[in-house]
Amino acid sequence: MKSIFDNVSYKCSKLVTTSYSTSFSLATRMLAPSIRDHIYNIYGFVRFADEIVDTFHDYDKEGLLDRFEKDYYLSLHQGISLNPILNSFIHTVKENNITDDLVQAFLRSMRADLSKTEYKTQEEYNQYIYGSADVVGLMCLRVFVKGDEEKYNKLKEPAMRLGSAFQKVNFLRDLKDDVELLNRSYFPNIDLKELDNASKQEIVKEIEADFEFAFSNGILQLPVEAKFGVYMAYRYYKKLLVKLKATPSSKIMDTRIRISNPMKINLLARSYVKYKLNLI
């Protein structure tokens, strides 16, 4: 029965999430069961594309990404894929009206990572972040609002700003790998090999503004099924930013900032108390 295969596909996307990101999988588990699987499915799709361009160095990355994209569209047309990650994602796309412009923008940013190593203008930088992060937030928002177009449009900008904040935190946290291993420089007009404190603080200030806008105008307005899970992800990345802010710019290239498992549990407990007391 196809339902068994679909169930296996969903479990594969969940496995991808739990294997690659303990923090994201923890936040996803805090979502209502009615939407949880769809977020796993989105993560599985974007993670596989990201892995192609970031880690498969001994293989033809462009060929793999071409085939991944071609297989996605063929599967979307046929309604089934023998790739369980694509099979689960196309279900989420169709059930939640995830528009093709979001998928295309994401794939364009992934394709840029195959050859583009430096972002010299703010426009290039913004375009990359939109495709690599903002649209992922919008895909998730499609799931959260369950077809409510008015709510989607109201929460669209906050969802994008939250996605931007998450991505910029990742840029700072992964600076060493991006610069030394992948030869990439995302922040325009900043020499990341000689990152000074003033430049770092400028980046941090930009991220803080994104977080503040996303929280006040988006997270607090989310449907109850999504609010706690998104708030957990927000708290986790805010904690990462606090640690990055406290790390001297000269040491960011030498250290990959992490949140310990006990700290994650502490964040979960404190966030849950606030949620139950209707403080968020």
Side-chain angles (χ1 to χ4, degrees):
M1 295 176 63
K2 185 173 181 295
S3 60
I4 297 177
F5 175 67
D6 290 339
N7 186 47
V8 170
S9 298
Y10 275 55
K11 288 181 178 179
C12 286
S13 291
K14 180 179 179 180
L15 179 61
V16 170
T17 309
T18 56
S19 297
Y20 277 99
S21 178
T22 56
S23 55
F24 187 83
S25 61
L26 177 62
T28 304
R29 283 166 56 190
M30 300 303 109
L31 299 170
S34 61
I35 60 176
R36 195 180 299 155
D37 283 342
H38 287 306
I39 304 306
Y40 288 138
N41 296 346
I42 291 170
Y43 184 89
F45 177 79
V46 301
R47 170 52 63 184
F48 267 30
D50 194 57
E51 286 302 298
I52 290 172
V53 300
D54 278 0
T55 64
F56 296 167
H57 305 308
D58 296 330
Y59 303 91
D60 176 9
K61 293 181 181 181
E62 185 174 6
L64 288 173
L65 189 60
D66 287 344
R67 190 168 70 189
F68 187 71
E69 180 174 0
K70 181 179 179 181
D71 287 350
Y72 164 69
Y73 281 106
L74 179 62
S75 303
L76 187 66
H77 174 70
Q78 295 181 333
I80 188 173
S81 174
L82 293 182
N83 177 332
I85 301 304
L86 292 179
N87 190 63
S88 61
F89 182 62
I90 62 174
H91 284 197
T92 292
V93 167
K94 290 185 174 183
E95 289 179 29
N96 296 278
N97 192 30
I98 293 175
T99 54
D100 192 53
D101 61 300
L102 301 182
V103 178
Q104 277 294 299
F106 171 73
L107 290 171
R108 277 196 299 272
S109 285
M110 293 302 97
R111 199 167 293 281
D113 277 337
L114 292 173
S115 58
K116 194 171 181 62
T117 60
E118 187 176 2
Y119 289 78
K120 297 180 179 180
T121 68
Q122 191 69 32
E123 183 180 0
E124 288 181 338
Y125 171 65
N126 291 341
Q127 185 178 44
Y128 177 82
I129 289 181
Y130 173 76
S132 65
D134 294 7
V135 298
V136 180
L138 293 177
M139 290 180 195
C140 293
L141 183 60
R142 280 289 183 192
V143 173
F144 298 157
V145 302
K146 297 181 178 179
D148 187 334
E149 288 296 322
E150 182 178 353
K151 185 172 285 291
Y152 177 81
N153 289 325
K154 180 180 179 181
L155 298 178
K156 184 175 180 179
E157 186 177 356
M160 292 168 59
R161 293 284 291 270
L162 187 62
S164 292
F166 288 171
Q167 182 68 296
K168 293 167 190 175
V169 169
N170 285 336
F171 285 164
L172 271 183
R173 184 188 61 177
D174 300 335
L175 206 57
K176 181 179 177 66
D177 286 349
D178 283 340
V179 173
E180 295 184 355
L181 297 181
L182 299 174
N183 190 34
R184 293 180 192 153
S185 178
Y186 292 108
F187 296 110
N189 303 315
I190 294 176
D191 183 359
L192 297 179
K193 293 181 180 179
E194 300 292 338
L195 182 66
D196 58 31
N197 191 59
S199 296
K200 191 195 80 169
Q201 291 304 319
E202 183 180 335
I203 295 169
V204 169
K205 185 177 180 181
E206 182 180 312
I207 298 171
E208 289 175 334
D210 284 336
F211 273 135
E212 182 178 351
F213 184 90
F215 179 74
S216 300
N217 299 281
I219 294 175
L220 294 178
Q221 312 300 323
L222 281 170
V224 65
E225 296 90 345
K227 183 181 288 186
F228 183 52
V230 176
Y231 180 67
M232 263 301 300
Y234 161 83
R235 286 290 305 275
Y236 171 77
Y237 272 90
K238 281 270 287 186
K239 188 65 177 179
L240 274 177
L241 183 61
V242 168
K243 296 189 73 170
L244 286 163
K245 189 175 181 178
T247 303
S249 57
S250 59
K251 293 187 177 180
I252 282 188
M253 284 286 286
D254 301 323
T255 308
R256 192 176 192 273
I257 302 298
R258 297 179 183 275
I259 305 298
S260 67
N261 287 333
M263 178 57 71
K264 290 178 184 177
I265 299 302
N266 179 268
L267 283 173
L268 173 61
R270 295 175 66 179
S271 299
Y272 185 70
V273 170
K274 287 188 175 183
Y275 176 71
K276 295 301 288 184
L277 292 175
N278 292 319
L279 298 178
I280 59 168

